[in-house]
Amino acid sequence: MPRAKEGKRKTKGASLPIVPILQKFLKTYEKHCSQSQTSVCPAIRRDLNSSIDSEQSLRKFTLVRPDNSPPSILPVSLEPLLLTIRDERYMLGKEICIWGLQLSNPEIARLPDGVLYPKDQWAMRFGSEEIESIFSGLEKHQRLRSLSLRYCGLEPLSGQRLGSLLSQSAICELYLDGNYLQCSGALALLRPMAEYAEMQGRDQPVMALPDTGNPPQLLQRFRKKVKGLTEAGPWLVKLYLADNGIDGKGGGADLLEFTRTLTW
């Protein structure tokens, strides 16, 4: 019995270090809010305090605009949270959800610039009001490699904006599951890349190579350019389009063209 109690104490003690980490995170977040003359997000403070009380790491930060806040109250901003994650090197988080906030172009542009540490572990999710700002802020951006816009209510008209974004950025992975692009939106998304690939195919024909297990030289050059981010895209390698109503009603000729574009 004494051994069992000792083991229980060790298990509880192993989780205690997260408490000072979260306490310091909250203090730093409040400091950055004060310095930037913005309000502390009530949801962030509540979730941090709840995680401190339960001695558990906080993996999801939800940044929301307070309901019915008077004009005299300072606005909630994304930047203090990003600065806090960077300063505290908080590696336990996985996701930031942003709802109802009007993001500025500088805030959007700073998202992939190493503000998040380590940035590859995080997923950013936005409400519908922020999608247009994201498209504008990320055009011609040469650092962001992966973008998730799952379940964001994207409709067919968003396909053209996404296609333009991919053509001018360094994005290699795009996650669009659970939207409603339909066939026309998905086709508009793929068309600029198909046209670019066709042009590159005419200029640099790929020769058939023996099956040596190594990728063709053209693909090797592609990867080298992606790693160095020497020029604008398109560099898309992975595209996730599940559950977008692509094969629903109204496909017709667009569905046939979409199929041909995928198999080009």
Side-chain angles (χ1 to χ4, degrees):
M1 292 298 294
R3 289 184 179 180
K5 290 182 179 180
E6 182 180 356
K8 185 176 181 180
R9 285 197 299 269
K10 287 183 177 180
T11 301
K12 183 179 180 180
S15 64
L16 287 179
I18 191 61
V19 172
I21 291 175
L22 293 175
Q23 289 174 333
K24 191 170 185 295
F25 188 99
L26 178 56
K27 184 176 180 180
T28 302
Y29 174 56
E30 292 172 341
K31 180 192 71 175
H32 280 305
C33 288
S34 176
Q35 291 176 344
S36 61
Q37 296 186 338
T38 58
S39 291
V40 172
C41 176
I44 297 292
R45 175 181 280 159
R46 180 198 63 220
D47 292 342
L48 282 168
N49 285 326
S50 177
S51 295
I52 291 171
D53 292 339
S54 62
E55 299 179 6
Q56 295 181 351
S57 60
L58 182 59
R59 298 188 176 276
K60 179 179 178 180
F61 293 88
T62 303
L63 198 71
V64 297
R65 180 177 56 197
D67 295 333
N68 302 322
S69 57
S72 58
I73 300 298
L74 295 173
V76 171
S77 174
L78 170 63
E79 187 169 9
L81 178 61
L82 297 179
L83 293 175
T84 303
I85 294 171
R86 183 200 64 185
D87 290 353
E88 297 301 320
R89 296 181 176 268
Y90 190 76
M91 302 174 63
L92 301 173
K94 294 294 182 182
E95 185 176 353
I96 297 178
C97 295
I98 304 170
W99 303 108
L101 293 182
Q102 183 64 43
L103 300 181
S104 66
N105 286 338
E107 283 180 313
I108 295 173
R110 278 193 288 270
L111 284 176
D113 281 338
V115 177
L116 298 182
Y117 180 90
K119 61 185 176 183
D120 292 340
Q121 294 187 1
W122 290 82
M124 304 293 297
R125 300 186 184 277
F126 302 88
S128 58
E129 297 179 5
E130 290 75 42
I131 296 300
E132 183 61 31
S133 297
I134 292 172
F135 290 157
S136 300
L138 292 180
E139 285 182 353
K140 299 183 181 180
H141 206 290
Q142 297 304 294
R143 292 185 180 276
L144 185 65
R145 299 281 298 279
S146 178
L147 177 63
S148 174
L149 294 175
R150 288 170 169 159
Y151 301 96
C152 286
L154 300 180
E155 296 184 348
L157 290 178
S158 299
Q160 186 174 358
R161 293 300 310 273
L162 284 167
S164 175
L165 170 62
L166 294 173
S167 299
Q168 303 176 65
S169 70
I171 294 174
C172 301
E173 298 182 1
L174 181 60
Y175 300 82
L176 298 175
D177 309 81
N179 288 290
Y180 198 57
L181 289 175
Q182 297 184 289
C183 188
S184 59
L187 181 58
L189 161 66
L190 292 174
R191 187 175 286 118
M193 290 176 288
E195 293 173 351
Y196 179 83
E198 184 178 0
M199 180 182 64
Q200 290 293 98
R202 289 196 301 264
D203 296 341
Q204 297 178 338
V206 179
M207 303 298 294
L209 297 177
D211 187 8
T212 62
N214 297 320
Q217 291 184 358
L218 181 60
L219 182 56
Q220 290 176 341
R221 290 198 299 270
F222 172 85
R223 289 177 175 171
K224 183 177 180 181
K225 286 184 178 181
V226 170
K227 183 178 181 180
L229 299 178
T230 57
E231 60 183 57
W235 299 119
L236 191 67
V237 175
K238 295 181 180 180
L239 175 63
Y240 297 83
L241 278 173
D243 196 17
N244 266 274
I246 293 174
D247 57 349
K249 296 181 179 179
D254 283 345
L255 183 58
L256 179 60
E257 185 179 355
F258 174 75
T259 305
R260 289 174 176 172
T261 301
L262 283 179
T263 56
W264 180 85

